[in-house]
Amino acid sequence: MITAAFPTAWRTLALAAALFVSSLAQASEHNKPAPKPWSPVTLQTALGDLPKGNAAAGKAVHDSMMCASCHGAAGNAATMNWPSVAGQRYDYTAKMLLDYRSGLRFEDERAGLMTSIARLMTPQQIADVSAYYASLPKPVAPQAQAALAAPLTAAEHKRVEQLVRKGDANRLITACASCHGLHGEGKGTTPAIAGQTTDYFIRTMRLYHNGERQNDVYKGMSQFSQRLSDADTLLIARYYASQGQSQTAKAD
């Protein structure tokens, strides 16, 4: 019993230690000059300068850095508190880790924890873990099952399909699919969002809306989030959370 419980206890201790380090990082972050935002050119240069990623080596990084404590054993978050990273775009994961390292992304305690971890990683480890997550199948959000058990009403489905596929010209809202793809698969540094947890999706939108997260190069999400109602955000979150589940069911 003691032997079986040890790995879990050790992971808990490691996570607590990382949280402590992140609190120190947050305290010191206020004394640093603001990091320089990316331009499209500097971002592509930074991503191009990373070494070639190796998915197998990335699995070892995922394990040794205790990433599963928050993101799940295979990058599929078991709770709604953390994002799933399975199936995520290589460029997006690499950019996020570079953003954490530089301080471009530092919106809350979760970001503080990731900053501490990213600053321990070498460029090779960043490339490897990004390749590993990109190699995995897209996730199934924990609450996607509930979303499917109580599917969107006809009116809700019509509304969310409009926002996802066509946007809303009256409110200058661009279609989600124009950047994230018709099935939420993402493209380049635009993240894959199919199967993502709804709580993380909603929290992210609120952070952009409140100006607390500002690391989107083109400021598209910062602008997009301003024009959505809370009801719209919830509908879109439920829609994309169900995408991983529905696609998985089709594959069975």
Side-chain angles (χ1 to χ4, degrees):
M1 294 293 292
I2 293 176
T3 302
F6 180 75
T8 300
W10 188 68
R11 286 196 298 269
T12 301
L13 181 60
L15 182 57
L19 286 168
F20 174 72
V21 172
S22 74
S23 68
L24 296 180
Q26 283 184 303
S28 63
E29 201 69 26
H30 296 296
N31 300 322
K32 289 187 175 183
K36 187 175 181 179
W38 298 112
S39 71
V41 173
T42 59
L43 174 57
Q44 289 308 313
T45 298
L47 292 174
D49 286 344
L50 289 173
K52 183 176 177 59
N54 179 283
K59 171 66 164 61
V61 174
H62 171 81
D63 293 340
S64 65
M65 292 277 183
M66 303 297 173
C67 303
S69 297
C70 299
H71 299 293
N76 192 70
T79 76
M80 297 181 287
N81 297 320
W82 300 92
S84 291
V85 290
Q88 190 52 266
R89 309 289 305 187
Y90 170 93
D91 284 355
Y92 179 77
T93 299
K95 177 186 182 295
M96 288 303 102
L97 290 170
L98 293 175
D99 285 356
Y100 285 126
R101 287 183 70 181
S102 69
L104 273 174
R105 185 170 177 186
F106 206 85
E107 68 270 12
D108 57 18
E109 291 83 358
R110 293 176 178 84
L113 172 60
M114 283 304 306
T115 294
S116 300
I117 294 171
R119 288 177 179 172
L120 294 173
M121 298 174 73
T122 66
Q124 184 67 65
Q125 288 176 316
I126 288 175
D128 289 344
V129 80
S130 299
Y132 171 59
Y133 292 142
S135 74
L136 298 173
K138 62 183 174 180
V140 178
Q143 70 279 38
Q145 295 176 3
L148 289 177
L152 299 172
T153 65
E156 288 174 333
H157 191 271
K158 180 179 179 180
R159 177 62 184 155
V160 75
E161 283 280 312
Q162 171 72 30
L163 289 170
V164 167
R165 296 178 179 273
K166 298 181 180 180
D168 186 338
N170 292 329
R171 290 187 287 166
L172 301 179
I173 294 176
T174 304
C176 306
S178 63
C179 296
H180 294 280
L182 282 175
H183 305 291
E185 68 273 18
K187 181 179 181 181
T189 56
T190 301
I193 52 179
Q196 189 54 266
T197 60
T198 55
D199 281 21
Y200 177 74
F201 184 98
I202 292 168
R203 183 170 67 245
T204 298
M205 297 300 291
R206 287 174 178 167
L207 288 168
Y208 277 125
H209 183 274
N210 296 337
E212 297 170 84
R213 179 170 169 180
Q214 303 175 339
N215 66 321
D216 50 333
V217 177
Y218 301 100
K219 301 304 175 188
M221 289 306 303
S222 298
Q223 298 174 28
F224 179 77
S225 62
Q226 297 294 323
R227 296 165 183 152
L228 286 180
S229 67
D230 289 344
D232 289 335
T233 299
L234 177 58
L235 277 179
I236 296 171
R238 288 177 61 199
Y239 174 83
Y240 281 117
S242 70
Q243 291 300 295
Q245 175 74 11
S246 60
Q247 294 300 317
T248 301
K250 290 177 183 178
D252 289 342

